[in-house]
């Protein structure tokens, strides 16, 4: 191959060559590309800039970059503190306030009574501020009894979009749920202790009105 003219078709690839990578003359220092070896100029002579670099190497040396402390650039590191608050559905799980109450119902079809008193239990669920009203069942009463209002958040009648809260409840007051007026007369021991621990002074308990003409078993 040495004696062949340098013409198309007269050149051949060296079959003994096994490395085909391209050499590079740039290296990286502190994130910047710098010249790795002196580059040859025209005619194979060193480039003038290369001669200057060889004569004055101190001018080619890069000044060290001073690292900026992270606290000066981004501020102090904020340590995440887990919340110590306990959700209501965990703190008040299965804790229910129980009030004894009654409501009066007008009776038009009976000659023996004009107003009927019906005792109920008002249950207040602390975990989600819901309320249910249950009337204790009496055998042979002749009227449908049981759950009068299913568990739900009951809106107040003032039209302000607010709902009934345990802070609004007390003994000796009347509350209105969906047009029915209930008179709260008493509560159980746990409810009394809870209300007093929360700083609510309960009124004196009242007597339940007599309930005539109740069925018997």
């Amino acid at each position: 191959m040495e004696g062949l003219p340098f013409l198309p078709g007269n050149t051949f690839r060296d079959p003994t060559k096994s490395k085909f990578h391209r050499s590079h003359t740039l290296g990286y220092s502190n994130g910047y590309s710098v010249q790795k070896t002196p580059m040859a100029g025209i005619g194979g002579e060193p480039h003038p800039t290369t001669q200057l670099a060889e004569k004055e190497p101190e001018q080619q040396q890069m000044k060290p970059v001073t690292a900026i402390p992270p606290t000066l650039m981004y501020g102090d590191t904020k340590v995440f503190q887990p919340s110590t608050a306990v959700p209501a559905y965990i703190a008040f799980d299965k804790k229910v306030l129980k009030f004894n109450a009654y409501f009066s119902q007008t009776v038009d079809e009976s000659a023996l009574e004009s107003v009927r008193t019906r005792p109920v239990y008002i249950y207040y669920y602390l975990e989600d501020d819901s309320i249910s009203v249950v009337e204790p069942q009496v055998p042979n009463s002749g009227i449908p009894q049981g759950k009068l209002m299913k568990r739900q958040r009951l809106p107040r009648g003032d039209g302000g979009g607010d709902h009934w809260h345990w802070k609004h409840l007390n003994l000796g007051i009347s509350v209105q749920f969906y047009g029915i007026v209930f008179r709260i007369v008493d509560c159980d021991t746990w409810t009394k202790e809870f209300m007093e621990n929360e700083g609510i002074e309960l009124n004196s308990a009242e007597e339940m009105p007599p309930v005539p003409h109740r069925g018997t078993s």
Side-chain angles (χ1 to χ4, degrees):
M1 294 188 297
E2 296 179 357
L4 296 176
F6 191 71
L7 295 175
N10 292 332
T11 57
F12 301 90
R13 187 180 64 179
D14 186 3
T16 61
K17 185 177 181 181
S18 59
K19 296 183 179 180
F20 300 92
H21 67 279
R22 291 187 177 183
S23 60
H24 59 280
T25 59
L26 295 179
Y28 287 89
S29 176
N30 294 331
Y32 295 92
S33 57
V34 294
Q35 184 176 346
K36 187 175 181 182
T37 56
M39 298 180 62
I42 300 176
E45 297 293 334
H47 199 269
T49 57
T50 305
Q51 297 177 0
L52 294 177
E54 294 176 353
K55 293 180 180 180
E56 300 178 359
E58 64 277 359
Q59 297 182 2
Q60 292 293 105
Q61 294 180 359
M62 300 182 61
K63 296 182 179 180
V65 179
T66 304
I68 302 177
T71 56
L72 183 61
M73 179 176 295
Y74 303 104
D76 297 334
T77 303
K78 297 181 180 180
V79 180
F80 175 76
Q81 297 293 341
S83 177
T84 57
V86 180
Y89 64 89
I90 296 179
F92 299 116
D93 183 27
K94 298 181 182 180
K95 295 184 178 179
V96 184
L97 305 180
K98 181 182 179 182
F99 297 91
N100 300 339
Y102 69 91
F103 71 100
S104 299
Q105 181 182 24
T106 303
V107 180
D108 298 329
E109 66 277 2
S110 177
L112 300 178
E113 57 181 347
S114 59
V115 178
R116 181 177 301 161
T117 300
R118 300 177 62 174
V120 296
Y121 296 133
I122 298 178
Y123 296 100
Y124 187 96
Y125 302 87
L126 294 173
E127 58 181 339
D128 57 356
D129 299 326
S130 59
I131 298 176
S132 66
V133 180
V134 179
E135 181 180 9
Q137 294 185 1
V138 178
N140 299 327
S141 63
I143 56 177
Q145 296 174 327
K147 184 176 293 185
L148 300 182
M149 294 185 183
K150 65 179 182 179
R151 179 177 173 180
Q152 59 185 299
R153 295 189 65 190
L154 297 178
R156 299 188 67 181
D158 53 4
D162 193 11
H163 293 79
W164 282 99
H165 194 264
W166 56 266
K167 296 181 180 179
H168 304 144
L169 304 179
N170 205 325
L171 305 183
I173 65 172
S174 299
V175 295
Q176 183 175 357
F177 302 152
Y178 293 128
I180 302 178
V181 179
F182 298 91
R183 182 71 177 181
I184 301 177
V185 296
D186 203 353
C187 64
D188 60 359
T189 304
W190 191 89
T191 301
K192 183 178 180 180
E193 294 177 355
F194 175 82
M195 300 291 279
E196 291 178 351
N197 291 336
E198 294 296 331
I200 296 180
E201 184 178 355
L202 294 177
N203 302 328
S204 301
E206 298 180 354
E207 294 291 338
M208 180 72 69
V211 185
H213 308 292
R214 300 192 67 176
T216 57
S217 57

